[in-house]
Amino acid sequence: MISITEILKDFPIFETKIHGKRLVYLDNAATTQKPRQVIEAISQYYETRNANVHRGVHYLSEIASEDYEEAHNKVAKFLNAKGMEEIIFTRNTTESLNLLAYSLGLNELEKGDNIVLTRFEHHSNLVPWQQMARRQGAEIRFIEMTEDCRLDLASAEKAIDDKTKVVSITHMSNALGTIIPVKEVSKLAREHGAYMIVDGAQSAPHMPVDVRELDVDFFAFSGHKMLAPMGIGGLYGREDILEKMEPFLFGGDMISIVSFDNATWNRLPWKFEAGTPNVSGGIGLAVAIDYLGKIGFDKIHYIEHELTEYAHERLNELSFIKIYGPEPKYKGAVVSFAMDGIHPHDIASLLDEDGIAVRAGHHCAQPLMKMLGTDSTTRASMYFYNTKEDIDALVESLQKIYKLFS
Ligand SMILES: Cc1ncc(COP(=O)(O)O)c(C=O)c1O
């Protein structure tokens, strides 16, 4: 089994000193660090194989096309999709969800239909649907949150009905860490014939995802939150739905035959990938998936759960800290908290002086923050390369900050 020392050696960023201090990186829900293997794969691509894909018969173009297609296959296997035709590469989760909002929204959503979301949504899975609902005359409904910040499944039964066209929910809240029981919700969506969409930005990096087992139609994710470079993400879509669905972006590569007054579409998944894609990003993503496979999700879950429990335990020792969100057993490796009398931005700036990177703000979930009676929190989010020493450093620094302010 690979040790934490070996893991850390794979991440060059941890050699960087922040204000002369060891880097304690606790902002993984925003983006993760990249292992050497991913960084090297990207530079190797540009140094030895760079060419545009699907456009040339020359050697480099063929190799680049093969690698890019292989990356789709890798993602298909990672999510247990049927094959490459069900995997569309996008820039990120936001683009994947906009693709769906536009494509399904403009072509299938009618006045009187409703779209069901949860109270936990990131703005990426809220604002596109708000826009589409307004344009098409549809209604947005919400599955409620319980007192202890979990999903209220009873309210899902009330929200989803025969006028529900789309159910689009997060798999894990980035602001609170709450894990959402997707399968239970998808059962309800199925009963009412609605499309079932999952925002997997926070789940794909941390837990095994099986889109067939979850029984979902679409699953969106971002590469940069799971060791891959920025600018590459994806969307799983069920093949029979993608075949019928209208494209979102139009242009090169996504067409089959074009005349001056019409066009037909390329086969899947290229029908949904207009223009020159992010080839090096796709290759980096494939290497990131290999890396995650080498560590294993069992180990990732074990490390993260230990860290989350430890973070709760240590932060609960501090009388001036209030933790938002459910107990560790109901969530991923995210701890959102507030400190008596000190603004989250001040906390984050002072932590930074100790080399500790956390996030402060509304975490792109303003309505959720408002429901919790605040406008911002400080958020520490962990990954498998974090250690208990990182949590100790956070707690020590918070104690120092509190003393300074009081
Ligand atoms: C739950 C969730 N959904 C969507 C997003 C948007 O991801 P991206 O900015 O990579 O598109 C994030 C990013 O933090 C997220 O946490």
Side-chain angles (χ1 to χ4, degrees), residues 29 92-94 122 124 170 172 174 199 201-202 222 224-225:
N92 47 37
T93 306
T94 304
H122 186 281
S124 295
T170 186
M172 178 177 141
N174 64 308
D199 167 356
Q202 296 295 342
S222 296
H224 70 94
K225 293 185 196 286

Side-chain angles (χ1 to χ4, degrees), residues 7-226:
I7 290 174
L8 287 172
K9 275 197 221 146
D10 283 337
F11 290 81
I13 194 116
F14 292 116
E15 287 157 27
T16 306
K17 294 275 176 277
I18 309 293
H19 310 304
K21 313 258 171 58
R22 173 176 86 85
L23 166 63
V24 175
Y25 188 76
L26 296 171
D27 195 16
N28 294 286
T31 200
T32 59
Q33 296 303 340
K34 320 302 172 200
R36 206 180 294 280
Q37 290 84 338
V38 168
I39 299 166
E40 282 170 5
I42 297 163
S43 48
Q44 210 204 23
Y45 164 76
Y46 280 117
E47 282 171 18
T48 63
R49 305 199 299 290
N50 177 49
N52 210 330
V53 290
H54 300 154
R55 286 165 195 210
V57 286
H58 61 82
Y59 175 80
L60 286 180
S61 178
E62 278 180 10
I63 296 278
S65 303
E66 265 171 38
D67 286 356
Y68 187 63
E69 290 184 12
E70 203 34 56
H72 284 70
N73 279 320
K74 182 123 311 160
V75 174
K77 233 170 148 189
F78 180 70
L79 298 177
N80 195 28
K82 276 197 303 188
M84 181 179 90
E85 56 287 352
E86 294 190 319
I87 304 297
I88 299 158
F89 278 2
T90 61
R91 280 187 304 143
N92 47 37
T93 306
T94 304
E95 189 175 296
S96 299
L97 293 168
N98 271 276
L99 183 160
L100 292 173
Y102 272 89
S103 195
L104 296 175
L106 289 180
N107 299 297
E108 301 212 25
L109 209 58
E110 290 169 4
K111 196 168 163 39
D113 288 342
N114 67 68
I115 299 162
V116 175
L117 314 173
T118 75
R119 296 285 185 198
F120 297 91
E121 301 316 324
H122 186 281
H123 297 160
S124 295
N125 195 32
L126 171 62
V127 182
W129 298 114
Q130 282 174 346
Q131 294 303 309
M132 241 352 113
R134 191 167 301 155
R135 192 187 288 214
Q136 305 297 93
E139 178 198 353
I140 295 204
R141 295 180 179 175
F142 293 94
I143 306 175
E144 297 299 337
M145 178 172 72
T146 61
E147 283 280 302
D148 59 348
C149 299
R150 293 160 62 199
L151 190 78
D152 180 357
L153 269 173
S155 98
E157 287 186 28
K158 284 192 209 129
I160 302 169
D161 63 17
D162 288 343
K163 291 301 258 175
T164 306
K165 201 46 105 17
V166 169
V167 176
S168 188
I169 62 171
T170 186
H171 203 173
M172 178 177 141
S173 158
N174 64 308
L176 299 178
T178 309
I179 292 173
I180 304 297
V182 164
K183 212 172 158 183
E184 278 86 337
V185 180
S186 81
K187 197 162 162 275
L188 293 170
R190 290 279 170 254
E191 280 167 20
H192 295 281
Y195 288 113
M196 181 67 204
I197 301 170
V198 175
D199 167 356
Q202 296 295 342
S203 62
H206 304 280
M207 58 179 90
V209 172
D210 181 332
V211 288
R212 284 189 271 183
E213 221 266 316
L214 287 174
D215 194 18
V216 299
D217 298 316
F218 298 98
F219 183 93
F221 68 95
S222 296
H224 70 94
K225 293 185 196 286
M226 45 184 283

Side-chain angles (χ1 to χ4, degrees), residues 303-316 328-329 331 335 382 388:
I303 296 173
E304 292 184 357
H305 189 64
E306 288 262 295
L307 287 173
T308 309
E309 285 203 318
Y310 187 66
H312 268 243
E313 198 183 299
R314 295 285 339 260
L315 288 171
N316 278 330
K329 65 177 168 190
K331 69 176 190 178
V335 185
M382 284 79 76
K388 287 190 177 169

